[in-house]
Amino acid sequence: MKATRERDLELLIPVAEGPVPGVVIHIPEDGDSKSSSPSATLASSSPRHLTTGKEAFSKVIRSWVSKKFMTGCVILLPIAITFYVTWGFIHFVDGFFSPVYNQLGINLFGLGFVTSIIFIFLVGVLMSSWWGASVLGLGEWFIKKMPFVSYIYTASKQISAAISPDQNSHAFKEVALIRHPRIGEYAFGFITSTVILQRSAGEEELCCVYIPSNHLYIGDVFLVNSNDILRPNLSVREGIEIVISGGMSIPQVLTTIDAEAIMAARVCRSPRFAAPQV
């Protein structure tokens, strides 16, 4: 049988007189013919390919699950925080008047919250009048006489005045952009007041610009020439939201407003230039 196989190979493969360099012909024996068959080679390599496919599929599933889980967290986290803070605020405000209703035998959740909201509204209406402003001024005079409480009250009043709808108070007047700390960089701030700098060369109008450095209650104050200030088309409330959110709520496009148009609008709104009522 072996001689017949060698003769058949000689007919199929031309044999040179000498050995061809680089060509090695392996003639399997009868004993290892089964081990070198294609089916045996496929059977020996199939478990390794199967394991590699399982690992790749497992990685794809883990990546997909983790990505969808993080997407759900990103969507639900602000909603959960909003509901948690709102629910805590309702409980906090409701606790002011709910003990009074409990003493009267009325146990209705939310009644204290509604009463607190009505009370805050009435305080706002009362303090807008001359008599309420006089009472508030007297109360502030007593509070400012207290050593430690006066600092807390002054700081909290300045923050609340910044978001007050009454722009005639000592609050943030406008949103401002100034070139700081170097050319090509801009700092986001608020105009709080204007001052006149008197020098030998003449007078110069400067704007007091507050630049928050840590959220809203800590920052630096700069005196900048009014012509060097860029005034974006943003309200004070929108500017505060931008600072508190770390710049995430800033619009993609900012447009500036002419300073002269703003000053003209202020002059028209001034009580001195108001039209007399008939």
Side-chain angles (χ1 to χ4, degrees), residues 231 256-263:
R231 293 170 170 83
T256 58
I257 305 176
D258 189 7
E260 296 181 358
I262 297 176
M263 295 301 297

Side-chain angles (χ1 to χ4, degrees), residues 61-193:
I61 292 297
R62 287 198 301 267
S63 175
W64 182 81
V65 171
S66 62
K67 183 178 180 180
K68 298 303 178 183
F69 181 79
M70 291 303 299
T71 302
C73 290
V74 170
I75 295 174
L76 294 178
L77 182 62
I79 298 176
I81 293 176
T82 303
F83 275 101
Y84 179 78
V85 173
T86 305
W87 188 255
F89 175 76
I90 292 175
H91 272 276
F92 175 75
V93 177
D94 185 75
F96 286 105
F97 289 96
S98 58
V100 178
Y101 290 110
N102 292 334
Q103 293 294 331
L104 297 176
I106 303 174
N107 297 322
L108 182 60
F109 177 75
L111 187 59
F113 175 77
V114 175
T115 307
S116 300
I117 295 299
I118 296 175
F119 176 76
I120 294 173
F121 174 75
L122 293 177
V123 169
V125 173
L126 180 64
M127 294 303 169
S128 299
S129 62
W130 176 84
W131 185 80
S134 301
V135 174
L136 180 61
L138 182 62
E140 288 183 345
W141 182 80
F142 280 108
I143 292 176
K144 290 180 179 180
K145 295 298 180 181
M146 302 179 183
F148 181 71
V149 180
S150 60
Y151 294 104
I152 301 176
Y153 178 77
T154 303
S156 59
K157 184 180 179 182
Q158 290 175 353
I159 296 175
S160 62
I163 59 176
S164 174
D166 184 14
Q167 294 300 320
N168 294 325
S169 60
H170 297 287
F172 296 156
K173 306 299 182 184
E174 302 173 46
V175 179
L177 293 176
I178 63 173
R179 292 179 175 85
H180 175 77
R182 60 181 66 90
I183 298 176
E185 296 183 7
Y186 295 89
F188 194 89
F190 302 92
I191 298 177
T192 57
S193 61

Side-chain angles (χ1 to χ4, degrees), residues 188 234 242 245 247-254:
F188 194 89
L234 295 173
I242 293 173
S245 64
M248 291 186 291
S249 62
I250 191 170
Q252 295 183 354
V253 178
L254 289 177

